[in-house]
Amino acid sequence: MNITRENIDALNAVVKVDIAKEDYSDKVEKILSDYRKTANIPGFRKGHVPMGMVKKQYGKAVLVDEVNKLLQDALNKYLTEEKLDVLGNPLPKPQDDLDWDADKLSFEFELGLSPEFEVNLEPKKAFTHYNIVAGDKMINDQVENIQKQYGKLISQTEVSKDSEITGVYKNEEREIENTVTLTLDKFKGKTTEKKFVGSKVGDVIELKTKGLYADEHELMHALKLSHDDVHGLDIPVTFEITEINTRELADLDQELFDKLFGKGKVTSVTELKDKIKEDAEKQFTQQSDQKLLNDVTEHLVANTKFDLPTTFLQKWMQTAGENELTEEQAKEEYEKSEKSLRYQLIEGKLITDNDIRVTMDDIKDHAKNMIKAQMAQFGQMNPSDKELEDIAARVLSNQEEARRMSEQIISQRLLALYKEKAKIKTKEITYDDFVKEVYGDK
């Protein structure tokens, strides 16, 4: 067997594999001999079928199969030994006139080669890493929400601005009939609020779904419809009031603190607010880190310049999936996936250059930490090592889950790399201002 390579350019090459008859003939003969022992052919006893007949019936298929196995093994070994970083898989060049009885068989494969490039983590304009803080308004609102959640319901005779109103939404034509409890602050604008204030149990209020809620998800819940059903929905509905309550706020006392955090963990309103601030800012850190990760990713894809073997990749995409694509379909698919492919190459380069590795122990530790955090949410604060080991083993028996956790660890380590090497400025900001600045005032 002989393998040679012709480099067409920096991104494309053709590999030629020459296979001689002696490379596969012994293997083919052995397989055919085994077939002869077990073949059931009418008119012959098992094991006594003439070899010529076996070769005539099975020889070509066995030959093709063995040559393909040789080709695959030879190509994989060649790519590894030559340290060729290829994109996609080698594409065999069509051969319509191949003589399988020849003493030498030659095959050619097109290769798409990975480009060489450098990654610059220091743009002219520094990346912003937000230090998101919980402002006084957010903390005070959260304290009030806790007081409402643990407060007492007191019946009212008529609706006021702060009432909790239970009732039934109806629309006979759309067969809507759903009981909900709502507060007036969920409605969009003051017009609807005015319809409710002063109403009593038994009153029926006529409403329009269009513009009823600021958030369509609230309308989904209110009418018990799917997202597609409520999108742009403009129908009349009625709301019959069945119950009116106000909520007496719970006292901020030790009994409430113990109920929220465990006995003696929080002993004052100041400590409660500190705890709310601490917990909120832990969540904000995750959002801030994700924003930085996204920003660096976008920058790297937009500013790391390199060419790709586009023609090869489009051709490869035609046969790479479950269903074969036309040339036009493959071109469209390539255009959709090019940005993702570019980032995969950039990420791979960063991982290699910075020796970022993930071991099975890393994945197991990551799984155990996630499980421990989830158990803590349900009050299981001190699980044993054996419990964590057993649950982690079950989780990681799912290869897809293990792969997902490996990707999470890689993301964490890339984030640490960016924080260490990229040009970054820190900006302190409240959560509300962060949302406005990053996502717009929605």
Side-chain angles (χ1 to χ4, degrees):
M1 184 184 298
N2 185 46
I3 303 180
T4 56
R5 180 175 86 247
E6 178 189 358
N7 290 326
I8 308 301
D9 55 37
L11 298 173
N12 294 275
V14 173
V15 169
K16 184 180 180 184
V17 183
D18 295 323
I19 299 180
K21 186 171 281 188
E22 56 264 29
D23 292 326
Y24 57 80
S25 56
D26 289 348
K27 182 75 172 175
V28 169
E29 285 294 324
K30 183 179 184 313
I31 292 171
L32 290 174
S33 295
D34 291 340
Y35 275 16
R36 186 184 178 215
K37 295 173 186 176
T38 58
N40 283 313
I41 296 180
F44 298 94
R45 286 183 296 140
K46 186 180 288 189
H48 293 272
V49 180
M51 193 61 172
M53 186 172 286
V54 172
K55 285 184 177 180
K56 186 176 181 181
Q57 189 160 346
Y58 301 109
K60 182 74 171 289
V62 171
L63 170 63
V64 171
D65 189 46
E66 286 307 306
V67 168
N68 281 333
K69 287 179 184 175
L70 266 177
L71 277 173
Q72 193 63 51
D73 291 344
L75 269 175
N76 289 339
K77 185 178 178 183
Y78 178 79
L79 295 177
T80 301
E81 288 176 349
E82 294 293 310
K83 297 180 180 176
L84 290 176
D85 193 1
V86 299
L87 302 177
N89 292 315
L91 280 177
K93 284 192 170 185
Q95 288 179 282
D96 297 328
D97 56 350
L98 185 63
D99 180 8
W100 288 96
D101 296 321
D103 288 338
K104 187 179 82 168
L105 300 172
S106 293
F107 302 89
E108 290 186 338
F109 295 85
E110 295 178 62
L111 301 183
L113 305 177
S114 185
E116 293 187 5
F117 57 90
E118 296 300 322
V119 181
N120 179 15
L121 284 174
E122 295 190 7
K124 293 178 182 177
K125 183 181 178 183
F127 298 109
T128 299
H129 188 222
Y130 292 93
N131 176 26
I132 309 171
V133 297
D136 290 341
K137 182 180 183 304
M138 171 177 278
I139 295 170
N140 291 333
D141 286 347
Q142 184 58 27
V143 170
E144 186 175 337
N145 288 336
I146 290 170
Q147 287 181 280
K148 285 180 179 178
Q149 183 181 348
Y150 289 90
K152 295 177 183 177
L153 281 179
I154 300 172
S155 180
Q156 288 181 294
T157 57
E158 64 179 46
V159 175
S160 64
K161 283 187 177 182
D162 298 323
S163 295
E164 290 187 13
I165 310 150
T166 301
V168 185
Y169 275 112
K170 288 184 182 179
N171 176 287
E172 289 185 12
E173 186 179 343
R174 296 293 293 269
E175 296 182 345
I176 294 169
E177 185 170 341
N178 189 44
T179 300
V180 295
T181 298
L182 54 82
T183 52
L184 298 180
D185 60 322
K186 298 294 184 185
F187 290 121
K188 185 178 181 180
K190 297 293 182 182
T191 305
T192 304
E193 179 183 299
K194 289 176 181 176
K195 288 185 178 182
F196 275 86
V197 172
S199 300
K200 298 179 173 57
V201 170
D203 286 354
V204 176
I205 298 169
E206 295 182 355
L207 303 164
K208 283 273 192 180
T209 56
K210 186 177 182 181
L212 185 59
Y213 289 95
D215 185 347
E216 278 190 347
H217 291 91
E218 294 286 353
L219 189 60
M220 285 171 55
H221 169 71
L223 304 184
K224 209 171 184 180
L225 296 174
S226 70
H227 188 277
D228 289 341
D229 288 336
V230 300
H231 185 64
L233 185 66
D234 185 10
I235 60 171
V237 291
T238 59
F239 185 89
E240 182 179 353
I241 298 173
T242 58
E243 190 177 337
I244 307 168
N245 295 296
T246 187
R247 193 170 285 270
E248 184 182 86
L249 299 183
D251 291 333
L252 296 173
D253 56 19
Q254 195 60 48
E255 182 182 352
L256 178 61
F257 301 153
D258 291 347
K259 193 179 292 184
L260 291 169
F261 304 106
K263 192 168 181 61
K265 297 283 180 69
V266 170
T267 59
S268 68
V269 174
T270 300
E271 288 182 11
L272 169 66
K273 290 184 176 183
D274 288 343
K275 180 68 174 161
I276 290 171
K277 181 179 175 67
E278 178 189 347
D279 291 345
E281 290 178 355
K282 280 180 184 176
Q283 298 296 318
F284 298 159
T285 298
Q286 293 176 14
Q287 293 187 52
S288 174
D289 283 348
Q290 188 60 54
K291 177 71 171 74
L292 177 62
L293 196 60
N294 293 345
D295 286 348
V296 177
T297 298
E298 289 291 330
H299 169 81
L300 291 177
V301 171
N303 293 279
T304 306
K305 303 299 182 184
F306 53 83
D307 292 326
L308 289 169
T310 303
T311 302
F312 168 84
L313 288 170
Q314 290 176 2
K315 192 187 297 185
W316 171 70
M317 282 181 171
Q318 286 184 255
T319 56
E322 290 183 11
N323 300 313
E324 197 163 316
L325 303 179
T326 65
E327 189 175 329
E328 188 60 34
Q329 287 171 328
K331 185 177 179 181
E332 288 178 14
E333 188 63 30
Y334 174 77
E335 288 171 355
K336 289 178 190 173
S337 58
E338 183 183 357
K339 187 176 178 181
S340 173
L341 174 59
R342 285 182 177 278
Y343 181 66
Q344 286 175 25
L345 291 172
I346 294 166
E347 185 182 80
K349 171 87 171 159
L350 287 168
I351 288 169
T352 301
D353 288 354
N354 294 279
D355 197 25
I356 296 174
R357 303 179 189 180
V358 176
T359 66
M360 198 60 218
D361 283 342
D362 293 334
I363 297 172
K364 187 189 290 185
D365 289 342
H366 183 73
K368 285 161 69 174
N369 288 333
M370 287 183 64
I371 293 161
K372 194 172 182 179
Q374 289 169 357
M375 293 175 77
Q377 291 178 357
F378 295 96
Q380 295 175 265
M381 305 305 292
N382 295 300
S384 68
D385 285 342
K386 186 177 185 313
E387 279 182 289
L388 292 172
E389 287 280 351
D390 290 347
I391 297 172
R394 287 199 297 274
V395 170
L396 296 179
S397 65
N398 182 328
Q399 290 187 348
E400 184 62 26
E401 193 65 24
R403 183 192 61 78
R404 188 178 66 82
M405 290 191 182
S406 176
E407 289 175 353
Q408 289 175 348
I409 297 169
I410 289 288
S411 288
Q412 290 173 359
R413 292 182 180 175
L414 284 173
L415 179 66
L417 175 71
Y418 299 156
K419 287 181 177 180
E420 177 190 349
K421 295 192 173 183
K423 190 176 178 182
I424 293 173
K425 65 177 182 181
T426 301
K427 181 175 182 178
E428 185 168 299
I429 193 170
T430 66
Y431 181 73
D432 286 343
D433 287 341
F434 169 77
V435 170
K436 289 176 185 176
E437 183 167 320
V438 172
Y439 304 107
D441 190 4
K442 297 179 182 178

